Amino acid sequence: MIDTMEYITALDLGTSQVSAAMGRLNERNELEIIGAIGLPSAGMRKGSIVNIEEVTTVISQVLSKLENQTGRKVQGLVSGIGGQQVKLAF
């Protein structure tokens, strides 16, 4: 039954750490985390990306370690975007 359920991955890209977690909704409609990984961030300064190659490398490492930990491939992910420089126009 678990193999037919949908898993979701969340990514947090921070100045000091890049973290990812994978989980699913269980039978009681509660979020069940099956794995979480965090690595020191690189290529970030004060919440801004200053070196995209370094950031990309760390993200790839985090997701790879998460896949190894959970035994599941990351099919897609969600991530929040925050900071003073983010603006929304309608």
Side-chain angles (χ1 to χ4, degrees):
M1 181 174 187
I2 289 177
D3 288 324
T4 62
M5 301 188 96
E6 186 174 333
Y7 289 79
I8 184 124
T9 302
L11 178 73
D12 179 45
L13 185 59
T15 300
S16 61
Q17 181 169 299
V18 175
S19 303
M22 184 183 291
R24 68 177 179 95
L25 290 178
N26 66 20
E27 299 81 23
R28 295 183 307 273
N29 211 28
E30 299 168 335
L31 181 60
E32 180 181 318
I33 302 297
I34 64 166
I37 296 289
L39 290 176
S41 192
M44 299 281 294
R45 187 175 303 125
K46 295 182 181 177
S48 296
I49 296 173
V50 295
N51 186 318
I52 191 71
E53 290 84 12
E54 289 181 356
V55 173
T56 302
T57 298
V58 174
I59 291 171
S60 295
Q61 291 171 347
V62 166
L63 296 179
S64 177
K65 287 182 180 290
L66 183 63
E67 288 176 340
N68 289 337
Q69 182 186 69
T70 62
R72 297 197 147 283
K73 293 290 278 176
V74 172
Q75 298 293 318
L77 59 87
V78 291
S79 183
I81 300 172
Q84 295 177 2
Q85 68 276 17
V86 177
K87 296 184 176 143
L88 181 64
F90 291 96

